[in-house]
Amino acid sequence: MRVLVPIDGSRHSAEAVDIAIDYAKAKTVEVFLLSVAPSTVDMDIALTDAQREEISAALLKGSEALLKETESYMEGHGITPQSILRVTANSVAEEILDFAEKEAIDLVVLGSRGLREYGRFPLGSVATEVVRYCPCSVFVVRLT
């Protein structure tokens, strides 16, 4: 079985990692960690090329650090994940869905909310899109 865990550094994402660890200990699974860094190319804000490059580099560096930290955490629990970093001009949800389809993922474990935990709706927009369109089962982690 192939399990995908998209991570973004949120509390919900961290809980999804813990659930994937528990799942991987109970079954023989291949775990993939996916961090998606947004591209600044299509951002509709006034930035110079240098500012776009600086923001892009910071986003990429943050995503790389998050992957390494999460990978180390999982390895400390006896699970060796494959870590993937993607930079996208599309939506984060599209990247997760694309990865799940291309890599024949059997289960996606993700947090119900990401870093932007504001808003009235209990399920974040990325999670909503993944649940709606994912080609495989989705385990949505909710924190109370």
Side-chain angles (χ1 to χ4, degrees), residues 5-23:
V5 186
I7 57 172
D8 66 0
S10 68
R11 292 181 316 121
H12 293 80
S13 173
E15 185 65 21
V17 169
D18 285 336
I19 287 172
I21 288 170
D22 291 343
Y23 194 77

Side-chain angles (χ1 to χ4, degrees), residues 28 32 50-51 62 81 94 103 116-117 121 123-124 133:
T28 304
F32 295 85
Q51 289 171 319
E94 285 182 45
E103 295 297 325
R116 293 176 278 174
E117 293 190 36
F121 300 103
L123 198 61
Y133 298 110

Side-chain angles (χ1 to χ4, degrees), residues 66-82:
L66 176 61
L67 274 174
K68 285 183 185 188
E69 179 182 323
T70 307
E71 188 176 287
S72 293
Y73 177 76
M74 291 186 85
E75 287 172 348
H77 285 85
I79 308 300
T80 304
Q82 292 185 41

